């Protein structure tokens, strides 16, 4: 799937997140996704909440799996690990750089680095495994 096809799939199947994530780049086994940080993503203290950062990482892996396999809406996260390394900069978008490390018949393993604005130091690192539905 290309960026346009991914956007159409998300708009149709997940309208609750329409406009939440922007696909900036897509290539073989990799994707760069952006989340515009708004007040709803903040927690007390003015930093981006962990669940918001997790959502960006999770969606990024999901999207790159879809891009490689086609529209398999039932692919699901089966395992995840996330390290929060530093506080994101106030008022900056979050950018996820994601690559698939393995794309097998039943599992896909992805790695994500999340950055804040133009800072080249990651604010979080995630490892996620997705279960791929069987071919029907």
């Amino acid at each position: 799937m290309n960026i346009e096809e991914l956007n159409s799939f998300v708009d149709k199947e997940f309208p609750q997140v329409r406009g939440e994530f922007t696909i900036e780049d897509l290539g073989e086994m990799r994707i760069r996704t952006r989340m515009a940080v708004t007040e709803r993503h903040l927690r007390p203290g003015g930093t981006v909440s962990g669940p918001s950062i997790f959502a960006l990482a999770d969606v990024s892996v999901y999207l790159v799996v879809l891009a490689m396999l086609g529209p398999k809406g039932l692919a699901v996260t089966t395992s995840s690990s996330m390290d929060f390394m530093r506080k994101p900069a106030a008022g900056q978008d979050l950018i996820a750089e994601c690559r698939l490390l393995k794309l097998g018949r039943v599992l896909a393993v992805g790695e994500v680095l999340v950055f804040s604005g133009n800072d080249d130091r990651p604010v979080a690192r995630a490892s996620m495994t997705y279960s791929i539905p069987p071919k029907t």
Side-chain angles (χ1 to χ4, degrees), residues 74-85:
L74 295 179
V76 295
T77 308
T78 59
S79 176
S80 67
S81 173
M82 184 163 240
D83 298 308
F84 298 96
M85 298 183 285

Side-chain angles (χ1 to χ4, degrees), residues 7 14 16 23 31 35 40-41 43 52 57 59 61 67 70-71 73 82-83 86 88 99 101 105 108 114 119 124 136:
N7 285 329
F14 301 101
Q16 66 272 29
I23 301 166
I31 194 167
M35 182 178 74
R40 69 185 224 100
H41 299 111
R43 67 171 196 84
S52 295
V59 163
V61 176
M82 184 163 240
D83 298 308
R86 62 185 43 85
R99 67 186 178 118
L101 304 175
R105 227 176 3 95
V114 178
D119 193 339
T136 55

Side-chain angles (χ1 to χ4, degrees), residues 1-121:
M1 297 176 76
N2 61 34
I3 291 175
E4 183 179 306
E5 292 166 333
L6 284 172
N7 285 329
S8 293
F9 178 82
V10 171
D11 284 350
K12 179 182 175 204
E13 299 297 327
F14 301 101
Q16 66 272 29
V17 299
R18 184 177 290 128
E20 184 93 10
F21 306 100
T22 303
I23 301 166
E24 293 191 335
D25 188 41
L26 178 64
E28 187 66 26
M29 304 282 279
R30 64 175 179 74
I31 194 167
R32 184 175 61 241
T33 312
R34 177 180 295 265
M35 182 178 74
V37 175
T38 65
E39 188 174 331
R40 69 185 224 100
H41 299 111
L42 303 180
R43 67 171 196 84
T47 190
V48 179
S49 70
S52 295
I53 297 170
F54 179 90
L56 175 60
D58 192 40
V59 163
S60 297
V61 176
Y62 182 71
L63 289 173
V64 75
V65 168
L66 288 178
M68 297 300 105
L69 296 178
K72 296 183 181 294
L74 295 179
V76 295
T77 308
T78 59
S79 176
S80 67
S81 173
M82 184 163 240
D83 298 308
F84 298 96
M85 298 183 285
R86 62 185 43 85
K87 181 179 177 179
Q92 297 292 312
D93 289 355
L94 293 181
I95 298 103
E97 295 280 349
C98 172
R99 67 186 178 118
L100 286 182
L101 304 175
K102 175 188 177 186
L103 182 59
R105 227 176 3 95
V106 294
L107 293 176
V109 178
E111 176 180 72
V112 184
L113 291 176
V114 178
F115 299 90
S116 180
N118 294 324
D119 193 339
D120 63 354
R121 300 171 302 157

